[in-house]
Amino acid sequence: AQAAAASSAASAHTRIQMTPLSVCLLLSVLMFQPALAKVCNDYTRHGQDNSWFSGDNEKLPIMVLMPMNESALMSSISQGIEPAVQLAIQHIKESRNYKFSLITKIYDTECDNAKGLRAFFDAICYGPKHLMIFGGVCPSVTSIIAESLEGWNLVQLSFAATTPVLADKKKYPNFFRTVPSDNAVNPAVVKFLNFYNWSRVGTLTQDVQRFSEVRNDLTNELEKADIQIADTESFSNDPCVNVKKLKDNDVRIIIGQFDENLASKVFCCAYNLNMYGSKYQWIIPGWYQGNWWEQANSTNCTTRKLLTAMEGYIAVDFEPLSAKQVKGISGRTPKEYEREYSKELQQKGVEPSKYHGFAYDGIWVIAKTLTRVMDLLQHKERQDMHHNFTVDDREVGKLVLDVMNETNFYGVTGQVMFRNGERMGTIKFTQFQEGQEVKVGEYNAIADVLDLINNTMRFQGVEPPKDRTFVRLQRRNINVPLYSILSVITILGMLMAGAFLFFNIKNRNHRLIKMSSPYMNNLIILGGMLSYSSIFLFGLDGALVSDKEFEALCTVRTWILIVGYTTAFGAMFAKTWRVHAIFKNVKMKKKIIKDQKLLIIVGGMLLIDLCILICWQIVDPLKRTVEEYSLEADPQGQDIAIRPFLEHCENTHMTIWLGIVYAYKGLLMLFGCFLAWETRNVSIPALNDSKYIGMSVYNVGIMCIIGAAVSFLTRDQPNVQFCIVALVIIFCSTITLCLVFVPKFITMRTNPDAATQNRRLKFNTNQKKEDSKMSTSVTSVNQANTSRLDGLQSDNHRLRMKITELDKELEEVTMQLQDTPEKTPYIKQNHYGDVNNILSIRNFTDGKEGEKSILKNHLEQKPQAQWGSMDPSRINRGPLEDINSPEHIQRRLSLQLPILHHAYLPSIGGVDASCTSPNASPGSSPRHRHMPPSYRVMVSGL
C-alpha cells in the first residue's frame, strides 16, 4: 500500500495517466499472483540483520534500473553503461581500500511506467535487501520511482536522468545524480553571455515539458544577471513564424531549446530569413547525435544551406570526461580510463554511451558512501555498552542521505560534488566550424569560472555579433561649408546695406535724398540688415549650440525676422502713404506730413508685431522638438543602424500663430500694393517709389510663397531647407534695397536735378496713348493740345538758351555803364533791339499783372513801336544826360531785376520767389492763378 501510494503520486507528473487506484490495483496484482510461488520480503521488520556493516568481504547488493530491451526507448544508453559499471566494480576491488564488494542486479524498466514499477517492486519484494538504487534513465519512470523512495528508506543515484523535474527536493528528497541536469547549463550560458557583454537575448523553445522547464529556469537566471529577454517564442512543429518574430524584434542572440529533429527546420527558416552570419549568434543544446543535420533533415533546404546557416552556432552540454588529465579516485586519468572502457566495448561489441563516465563515477560514489556509512555504524556499535546494537532501515537511509551530500572527490568526469542532490559538474562549449563541432571552452560550476580556449572561437565577422542593432542617433545638421558660403553671401549683403546707409547719411541734405525721406530710408536699411542677421541664427543647430540655447534661438530668430520685415516694408509703405496723402488731396489744401508722423506709423506696425509675438511667447512659446526618422544602414558597413533625427522649433498651435503672422504681413503687403497703384502717376521720381515698391512686393511675395512651400516639403532635409530660407531672405532683402537705393545712386551720378522736377511734360508715344484713355490729368491738357504743347516745349527751350546769351551781353553792357559812364555816349541801336526781345520774352513768361514793370507798360501803350525807337524830343539831348536821367535808371532796374529773377533760378531748379514751398504746385502760386492752361505748362517747364 505504501509503494502504491508513492507510485501513484509520482505518476501524476508523467505523461501516462495513472491514478492512485490503478497503481494500487497494479501492485496488488503483482503481489498476489497465484502463479508466483515466491514470498515477498517482509519490510515491516527493520534492522534484524546487521551483519552487512559489521563483517568483512561482504557482498552488498545494489539495485540497477535501466531499459535493457533493445526495442525499448533509450536502450542504447544502457547497453554502453554496463561495461563502465563492471569496470568500476573491478577497479574498486583492485584498490583494496574497501571491505566489501558490490553486486549489481539489473532490472529492465523498458522505459515504460508500468513495467518500470513492476521491475522496481520485483527488486524490492523478491530480490535481496538493497542498500541503494543505481540507475534511472527514462525521465517518466525515474520520477515515479524517485518520488516513492522516501517511503522505502532508499537513496537513488542516477547517471543519465537529466530532466529538471527531479531537482525538486521537496518531491524527490532521496534522489541524486552524477550527471548534471539540463538546468545546469543555464548558469554556464549566462556566464558566456556576460563574457561577450551580451545583455539582450531571445529564446526559441520547443513546446515540450523538458525544454519548457529549462527555458523557465533560464529565464530566472537571466533576470538575476540583469539580461534582457527581448522575445520568448515557443513552437510545436513549424518554427518559421516564430523565427520571423525574433527577427522582427531585432533579436541577435538566440538561445534555442529543441531536439535535433526540429533543429534542421529552425536553421532552414533561419537561412530563408537571412538570420545567420556575422550579425546573429545561435546557442543550442549540445547533446545532439553526430551529423544530426543529415539524419534529421526533413526540410526543403539542402545540406549546403543548412551548413551555411549553422556555421558558428554554439552548443552547450555537460563534459562527458574531464579535460584535465589528473589521476582521480581510481588512480587513473580520464584518458587511461577511456582506453580501458574502449577495450571493454570491443570485447562486448556494443556502442559507447555518453553517460559512461558518470556511471563509472557513480559506482565510486556508492562505494565511498557505503564505506562511510559502515564506518559510522561500526563506530556506533562499538560505543554500545550492552552489545545489542541494532539499526533499522530508516536510520540507514538517513545516514546514506547525509553522507551523499558530503561527497567530494575527483573522478574521470571531474570533481564530483553534490549541491542539494545536483551534480556540480563541468559544462563544455563547442562551436560549429566548417562542418564539425570544435570545443572552445568550459565552465566549472563549482568554481563558477568560464575558461575559453584561446584562438578557437571564430565569429563570422571581425568581432562578436552585437546583441542588438545598436542605434546611433545622428543629427541631421547643416553642413559647415554650406553655412559658411551663405554666411559670406549674407555678410556681403550686409556690407551693401551698410554702403547704402553711408550713402544715405552722407547725402541726407541733398535735394534728391531729402525729398525721399532719409530717415525712412535708414529704417528700410535697418530692416534689411535685421533680415540678413536672422540667416546666421537659422543656420545654428544642436551641433553648435546646446539644447537650451537652441530653444532660445527659436524665439530670437523669429522675432528678428518679423521685426526686420515690418521695419523695412513699413518704412517703404509709410513713404508711399505720404505721397498718396499729398497728391490725392482733392481740395488742394496745403498739407505738410513730417517724418515724425511716418515714424509713428512704422512704430504702430511694430507695436502690432510685438503684441503678436509677446502673446505667442506667453501663451504658446516655441520649444525644441526632436523628430526621429526610420533606421538607416551605416554607410561605412558597420553593424550599427543610423537613426537620423532633426530638431525643430515648434509649439502646440503652430498653425494658428503662423496664420496670424501671415495674415498680418499679407494685409501689409496688400496695403503697400494699393498705395503703389494709387501713386503711380506722381511724376516726381524723388517722391514716387511706386514702381519699385510694386516690383519689391511682387518679388518678395513670389519668393515667400515658393520658399514657404519648398521649405515645408523639405523639412526633413535641413541643408536644403536652410539653403532655401537663406536664399529667399537674401534675395528679398537685396532686391528691396537695390530697388530703393540704386536708382537714387545712379541719378545722383548722372542728373541729380531731373529727379526733383516734374516729368509730366516729357511725352512719348506710349504716354500719348495712355493720356488719350484718361479723362483728366495733372496738367489738364487734352488730346487736342498735344501738338501745341510739343511746340511750346521746344520754343521754351530755345528761348531759355537765348535768355542766357542775352543776359551775358546785358551784364557786360551794364558793367561798362557803371565803370565808364563818360566814355559811353549812347547804347547801340542793336542792343536796344535785343533788350526789346528780352522784354517780349519776359512778358510771355510772366503773367502777374501787379508786378509789371514800366517797360511793360510802355510796350502795352505802344505795341506797334519797337523798343529801340527813340522819342524825337530826346534825340537832341546829350548822351551823358540822357543815360543818367531818372527815366533811364528806372528803365535799367526794371530790365535787370526781372531777368535775373526769372532766368537764373529756373535754370538751376529754382522756383518763383513768391512760392513758399518747393513742393507746391506752380498752379497754386498767385502769379499763375489767372494764367491760361497753356501758360501754366510753360511756367512749370521753366
Side-chain angles (χ1 to χ4, degrees):
Q2 186 179 7
S7 62
S8 63
S11 65
H13 300 278
T14 63
R15 291 186 176 273
I16 300 178
Q17 300 295 327
M18 298 187 67
T19 63
L21 180 59
S22 63
V23 175
C24 291
L25 291 175
L26 176 63
L27 289 177
S28 64
V29 171
L30 293 174
M31 292 175 65
F32 300 106
Q33 285 186 10
L36 294 175
K38 297 181 181 180
V39 178
C40 183
N41 295 329
D42 186 3
Y43 271 81
T44 61
R45 296 180 297 168
H46 299 283
Q48 293 184 358
D49 186 8
N50 297 330
S51 61
W52 66 272
F53 64 83
S54 58
D56 293 335
N57 296 322
E58 291 287 337
K59 294 182 180 181
L60 303 181
I62 302 298
M63 183 192 304
V64 180
L65 299 176
M66 291 188 301
M68 299 301 296
N69 193 339
E70 294 182 0
S71 62
L73 184 65
M74 302 180 71
S75 61
S76 60
I77 297 177
S78 302
Q79 293 175 2
I81 291 298
E82 188 177 1
V85 172
Q86 297 302 325
L87 192 60
I89 293 174
Q90 179 184 348
H91 291 167
I92 290 174
K93 289 180 180 179
E94 294 175 358
S95 66
R96 300 182 181 275
N97 294 327
Y98 301 94
K99 302 176 183 180
F100 57 85
S101 61
L102 297 176
I103 303 298
T104 58
K105 176 64 176 176
I106 300 176
Y107 296 90
D108 187 7
T109 62
E110 299 184 31
C111 267
D112 183 84
N113 291 349
K115 294 179 181 180
L117 283 174
R118 179 173 181 172
F120 174 69
F121 178 76
D122 288 344
I124 293 294
C125 188
Y126 306 114
K129 186 177 182 180
H130 301 92
L131 297 177
M132 293 185 66
I133 299 176
F134 184 67
V137 177
C138 302
S140 60
V141 177
T142 304
S143 61
I144 294 175
I145 297 174
E147 193 172 2
S148 64
L149 293 177
E150 189 176 6
W152 299 103
N153 297 316
L154 291 174
V155 176
Q156 181 179 5
L157 179 64
S158 176
F159 54 84
T162 60
T163 176
V165 175
L166 299 172
D168 187 0
K169 288 297 134 183
K170 293 182 179 180
K171 294 179 63 176
Y172 314 103
N174 289 23
F175 179 82
F176 290 81
R177 49 187 166 190
T178 55
V179 61
S181 71
D182 293 336
N183 287 345
V185 301
N186 292 334
V189 170
V190 172
K191 201 75 173 180
F192 186 79
L193 295 175
N194 288 330
F195 182 83
Y196 287 103
N197 296 321
W198 290 331
S199 60
R200 185 176 183 272
V201 299
T203 60
L204 182 64
T205 309
Q206 183 180 350
D207 194 9
V208 177
Q209 182 181 6
R210 174 186 180 184
F211 299 120
S212 300
E213 292 169 352
V214 176
R215 190 263 319 277
N216 295 337
D217 183 75
L218 176 62
T219 301
N220 295 331
E221 294 290 338
L222 292 174
E223 290 177 353
K224 292 178 183 178
D226 196 21
I227 296 177
Q228 178 189 0
I229 303 176
D231 190 15
T232 300
E233 297 292 333
S234 60
F235 65 96
S236 297
N237 187 24
D238 186 10
C240 291
V241 176
N242 306 94
V243 175
K244 178 67 165 56
K245 290 181 180 179
L246 291 173
K247 182 177 182 180
D248 294 339
N249 291 327
D250 190 35
V251 177
R252 299 289 195 88
I253 312 302
I254 306 169
I255 302 175
Q257 293 291 339
F258 36 77
D259 57 30
E260 58 263 35
N261 294 322
L262 290 177
S264 58
K265 293 184 178 180
V266 170
F267 283 106
C268 181
C269 298
Y271 180 85
N272 294 330
L273 294 172
N274 199 27
M275 292 181 64
Y276 63 92
S278 61
K279 294 183 178 180
Y280 294 91
Q281 182 61 61
W282 289 84
I283 301 175
I284 62 174
W287 42 262
Y288 297 164
Q289 299 296 325
N291 297 332
W292 58 266
W293 56 89
E294 296 178 353
Q295 302 174 7
N297 186 6
S298 60
T299 66
N300 54 0
C301 292
T302 62
T303 303
R304 183 185 61 82
K305 292 181 179 179
L306 286 180
L307 292 176
T308 302
M310 292 162 49
E311 184 68 24
Y313 75 71
I314 300 295
V316 186
D317 194 15
F318 54 81
E319 186 75 86
L321 290 176
S322 176
K324 297 180 180 179
Q325 300 305 315
V326 179
K327 290 185 178 182
I329 192 173
S330 64
R332 293 168 177 82
T333 63
K335 281 190 176 181
E336 293 173 349
Y337 156 74
E338 190 174 15
R339 285 195 295 266
E340 294 183 27
Y341 173 72
S342 299
K343 291 180 182 179
E344 292 290 331
L345 291 178
Q346 291 178 0
Q347 291 177 2
K348 296 185 178 181
V350 295
E351 294 294 329
S353 172
K354 64 178 295 186
Y355 299 98
H356 68 88
F358 299 103
Y360 180 84
D361 283 344
I363 298 298
W364 280 98
V365 170
I366 292 174
K368 285 185 66 65
T369 300
L370 293 178
T371 300
R372 178 60 178 164
V373 170
M374 292 173 65
D375 292 340
L376 291 174
L377 292 176
Q378 290 175 3
H379 179 70
K380 288 184 178 181
E381 185 180 20
R382 286 192 298 267
Q383 290 181 349
D384 187 7
M385 300 296 297
H386 303 286
H387 300 282
N388 56 355
F389 175 75
T390 59
V391 60
D392 59 6
D393 292 340
R394 188 183 304 276
E395 187 175 357
V396 172
K398 187 176 184 305
L399 285 175
V400 172
L401 191 63
D402 294 338
V403 173
M404 287 282 289
N405 285 321
E406 297 175 357
T407 301
N408 190 358
F409 65 88
Y410 199 87
V412 294
T413 58
Q415 189 173 2
V416 180
M417 181 179 176
F418 300 103
R419 182 176 297 171
N420 294 326
E422 295 296 310
R423 169 69 185 275
M424 305 299 293
T426 302
I427 306 300
K428 71 172 181 177
F429 290 88
T430 58
Q431 186 179 36
F432 190 77
Q433 299 176 2
E434 299 179 356
Q436 60 182 354
E437 291 186 352
V438 178
K439 183 179 179 181
V440 294
E442 63 181 24
Y443 170 75
N444 189 337
I446 299 176
D448 191 24
V449 174
L450 176 65
D451 184 17
L452 296 180
I453 303 174
N454 295 332
N455 301 324
T456 56
M457 187 74 73
R458 296 180 184 177
F459 294 105
Q460 301 298 303
V462 295
E463 59 182 358
K466 303 288 192 306
D467 61 356
R468 70 198 70 189
T469 301
F470 280 92
V471 178
R472 187 177 67 190
L473 293 176
Q474 186 178 71
R475 178 185 287 104
R476 287 185 176 178
N477 51 9
I478 298 172
N479 293 336
V480 176
L482 176 64
Y483 181 75
S484 302
I485 293 172
L486 292 175
S487 298
V488 170
I489 297 175
T490 303
I491 292 173
L492 294 177
M494 297 183 73
L495 292 176
M496 180 194 69
F500 288 151
L501 180 63
F502 174 77
F503 167 77
N504 190 71
I505 294 175
K506 181 180 179 182
N507 300 284
R508 64 184 181 275
N509 294 323
H510 192 277
R511 192 170 204 180
L512 174 62
I513 304 302
K514 195 170 186 179
M515 293 180 68
S516 65
S517 302
Y519 293 110
M520 294 297 102
N521 294 340
N522 292 340
L523 288 180
I524 295 174
I525 297 172
L526 177 61
M529 297 187 74
L530 287 175
S531 300
Y532 280 129
S533 62
S534 66
I535 297 176
F536 299 109
L537 303 182
F538 276 105
L540 298 177
D541 52 20
L544 302 175
V545 297
S546 63
D547 296 345
K548 188 175 181 180
E549 293 173 346
F550 181 83
E551 193 166 297
L553 285 176
C554 291
T555 303
V556 172
R557 68 190 188 186
T558 304
W559 283 53
I560 290 177
L561 183 59
I562 292 177
V563 170
Y565 176 89
T566 304
T567 303
F569 281 90
M572 189 184 302
F573 297 157
K575 288 172 49 179
T576 309
W577 173 82
R578 178 164 64 180
V579 176
H580 176 269
I582 293 175
F583 285 90
K584 291 299 179 178
N585 187 10
V586 181
K587 298 181 180 181
M588 299 299 291
K589 293 182 179 180
K590 184 177 181 181
K591 195 169 186 179
I592 299 177
I593 301 176
K594 297 184 178 180
D595 289 344
Q596 289 79 357
K597 191 169 184 179
L598 302 184
L599 292 175
I600 293 174
I601 295 175
V602 177
M605 296 179 183
L606 292 175
L607 183 62
I608 297 175
D609 272 339
L610 292 179
C611 291
I612 296 174
L613 293 173
I614 291 173
C615 293
W616 189 353
Q617 182 66 24
I618 295 176
V619 176
D620 193 12
L622 289 171
K623 294 182 180 179
R624 173 184 176 269
T625 60
V626 177
E627 181 181 3
E628 295 185 352
Y629 299 90
S630 57
L631 294 176
E632 299 176 357
D634 182 54
Q636 298 179 356
Q638 299 180 2
D639 187 17
I640 58 175
I642 305 298
R643 184 178 294 280
F645 73 95
L646 189 58
E647 297 167 310
H648 297 290
C649 294
E650 293 180 349
N651 53 12
T652 306
H653 306 287
M654 190 72 174
T655 306
I656 297 176
W657 294 108
L658 288 179
I660 293 173
V661 173
Y662 290 159
Y664 171 56
K665 301 302 178 185
L667 291 175
L668 186 62
M669 294 189 69
L670 290 176
F671 179 68
C673 292
F674 169 75
L675 294 177
W677 175 260
E678 287 292 313
T679 59
R680 67 189 184 280
N681 292 322
V682 176
S683 57
I684 303 177
L687 296 176
N688 186 16
D689 292 331
S690 60
K691 180 174 67 174
Y692 304 127
I693 291 175
M695 295 174 62
S696 297
V697 171
Y698 175 79
N699 291 321
V700 171
I702 294 298
M703 292 302 297
C704 288
I705 293 174
I706 296 175
V710 177
S711 177
F712 177 78
L713 295 175
T714 60
R715 58 176 285 132
D716 58 339
Q717 303 178 28
N719 288 315
V720 178
Q721 187 182 41
F722 171 67
C723 184
I724 291 173
V725 171
L727 291 178
V728 166
I729 295 175
I730 292 172
F731 180 81
C732 295
S733 301
T734 304
I735 287 295
T736 301
L737 293 176
C738 289
L739 288 175
V740 172
F741 291 98
V742 170
K744 294 179 176 56
F745 180 78
I746 295 175
T747 304
M748 286 283 295
R749 296 294 300 271
T750 57
N751 189 9
D753 296 328
T756 60
Q757 295 177 1
N758 196 322
R759 295 184 179 177
R760 189 64 63 184
L761 299 178
K762 296 181 180 180
F763 291 94
N764 52 30
T765 306
N766 296 329
Q767 288 174 330
K768 293 177 183 179
K769 293 180 181 179
E770 182 180 358
D771 291 340
S772 63
K773 297 178 183 179
M774 298 176 61
S775 59
T776 58
S777 63
V778 179
T779 58
S780 302
V781 180
N782 53 24
Q783 186 175 4
N785 296 328
T786 301
S787 58
R788 181 181 178 186
L789 289 175
D790 292 339
L792 292 175
Q793 183 179 0
S794 60
D795 293 340
N796 186 20
H797 180 71
R798 179 178 55 80
L799 293 175
R800 287 180 62 187
M801 297 299 296
K802 186 67 175 176
I803 287 174
T804 304
E805 296 175 359
L806 294 177
D807 180 65
K808 292 180 181 180
E809 296 181 3
L810 180 61
E811 185 177 2
E812 293 177 358
V813 172
T814 304
M815 293 298 296
Q816 293 176 5
L817 292 175
Q818 291 177 356
D819 294 340
T820 55
E822 68 280 1
K823 296 180 181 180
T824 307
Y826 60 93
I827 299 176
K828 294 182 179 181
Q829 187 67 28
N830 59 348
H831 286 173
Y832 287 104
D834 294 337
V835 172
N836 191 20
N837 293 336
I838 292 174
L839 291 178
S840 301
I841 295 172
R842 202 262 179 184
N843 290 334
F844 180 76
T845 60
D846 194 353
K848 188 175 180 181
E849 298 178 358
E851 295 180 1
K852 289 182 180 181
S853 61
I854 299 174
L855 291 175
K856 178 65 179 176
N857 295 330
H858 179 75
L859 290 175
E860 289 178 353
Q861 294 175 2
K862 297 181 179 180
Q864 303 297 329
Q866 297 293 330
W867 190 82
S869 301
M870 308 300 292
D871 190 359
S873 60
R874 298 177 181 174
I875 297 175
N876 297 327
R877 297 181 183 178
L880 185 59
E881 180 182 358
D882 186 68
I883 290 174
N884 294 328
S885 64
E887 183 178 356
H888 280 78
I889 293 174
Q890 184 178 5
R891 184 180 300 168
R892 286 198 302 272
L893 291 176
S894 63
L895 177 66
Q896 294 174 7
L897 292 177
I899 290 175
L900 291 174
H901 181 70
H902 289 280
Y904 277 85
L905 288 181
S907 65
I908 61 173
V911 294
D912 194 279
S914 62
C915 295
T916 59
S917 175
N919 294 330
S921 176
S924 62
S925 176
R927 294 185 55 194
H928 301 82
R929 189 168 300 164
H930 301 289
M931 188 174 294
S934 60
Y935 292 101
R936 282 205 301 272
V937 173
M938 290 301 297
V939 172
S940 299
L942 290 173

